[in-house]
Amino acid sequence: MISARYPSYMNIDPFIDVERLKSLDGIITERLRQRLASAGDRQFYTGPFLFDANTPDLPGSRMIELARSREPENYYDLDRTEIWEPSAEAAEFAPLMDFIATLPFAATGRMLIMYDPIGRAVSAHKDHDSTDLCHEFIWFRSNLSKPFYMLNPETGERAYVAGHAAWFDTVNQFHGADGSGGLSFSIRVDGVFSDEFRNKIPFPKENRAAAPSVWANSVMAV
Ligand SMILES: [Fe+2]
């Protein structure tokens, strides 16, 4: 049986249209710069599971919600696809929404752009602590300027995401970003993967949250 090794992430570039994603970089960057003037976007909160308690849980990045829940905020709702609907901001980022429609999801839930105009570090954190819960999401970016990494808490070893898209274990390892000094952003879409995509994934019977790392390890073992 293939197990998970940390730090690790599953490279999703082979499953998406990377050239189309890269072609959106100019328009996303331009729209983000237009929004900076208003500065009304909500601050990103890492949650309580920080790797280093001395790092900020409000690291300075902000979020643009491309979908909004019809129910009061609850982190465990992010893949309840039936309660999410496109926000007004989705229209502002229409070419991005068209791209998201090409991703291997049967249905989408929460959709966020995370950005920081001055590219501050994002404190390493876990998203939650339920090892039996595996969120199906794709993290992606139109350029490589955000130094985004996975971190093994026991060894301190980091694995930086090299490409444009990843799926990663958010529970058994930490993730964060180094400062970049300039506008940096990434996008995360949660939902339910398509059956075709799910069929490729070796979901473990226990510690289901480890599925992205088990998958990454199995690909490397081939
Ligand atoms: Fe996170």
Side-chain angles (χ1 to χ4, degrees):
M1 199 185 93
I2 290 167
S3 57
R5 270 204 295 259
Y6 301 103
S8 60
Y9 63 90
M10 183 61 198
N11 174 27
I12 301 297
D13 285 19
F15 306 102
I16 68 165
D17 186 343
V18 173
E19 290 311 310
R20 180 169 174 176
L21 174 57
K22 284 158 74 175
S23 77
L24 297 174
D25 194 50
I27 193 158
I28 298 172
T29 302
E30 184 194 313
R31 299 278 149 84
L32 286 176
R33 291 207 188 279
Q34 285 166 359
R35 286 184 76 92
L36 299 184
S38 64
D41 293 322
R42 288 172 59 197
Q43 280 212 62
F44 168 67
Y45 167 55
T46 60
F49 307 107
L50 287 167
F51 174 61
D52 176 350
N54 295 315
T55 54
D57 58 8
L58 291 169
S61 33
R62 292 185 180 268
M63 301 181 295
I64 298 172
E65 293 156 302
L66 298 171
R68 270 204 188 90
S69 168
R70 281 188 287 268
E71 296 189 7
E73 187 157 329
N74 177 350
Y75 189 80
Y76 292 95
D77 281 350
L78 56 90
D79 60 351
R80 286 181 60 208
T81 58
E82 68 281 6
I83 66 170
W84 294 85
E85 55 196 3
S87 65
E89 288 82 357
E92 212 179 304
F93 291 89
L96 173 59
M97 299 306 292
D98 291 343
F99 172 76
I100 289 171
T102 71
L103 297 175
F105 287 102
T108 53
R110 192 186 69 164
M111 297 187 252
L112 283 180
I113 303 174
M114 298 228 311
Y115 72 95
D116 188 331
I118 57 171
R120 283 163 285 211
V122 177
S123 310
H125 64 279
K126 297 178 178 182
D127 285 351
H128 62 88
D129 62 354
S130 306
T131 54
D132 55 346
L133 176 64
C134 178
H135 282 132
E136 297 180 7
F137 68 90
I138 299 177
W139 176 98
F140 61 96
R141 53 187 176 175
S142 53
N143 65 56
L144 303 179
S145 64
K146 185 174 182 173
F148 191 72
Y149 62 83
M150 309 296 139
L151 169 70
N152 179 327
E154 266 111 56
T155 64
E157 188 190 347
R158 293 177 176 197
Y160 283 83
V161 175
H164 283 267
W167 181 39
F168 50 90
D169 180 338
T170 62
V171 177
N172 299 290
Q173 63 181 352
F174 291 78
H175 57 276
D178 292 337
S180 69
L183 174 67
S184 66
F185 60 90
S186 56
I187 298 138
R188 174 170 163 169
V189 174
D190 280 78
V192 176
F193 288 146
S194 67
D195 286 343
E196 189 190 353
F197 193 66
R198 266 189 170 177
N199 286 339
K200 302 177 200 291
I201 303 169
F203 284 103
K205 288 198 174 61
E206 288 172 13
N207 194 8
R208 193 175 165 88
S213 284
V214 173
W215 193 15
N217 203 16
S218 73
V219 170
M220 282 187 282
V222 168

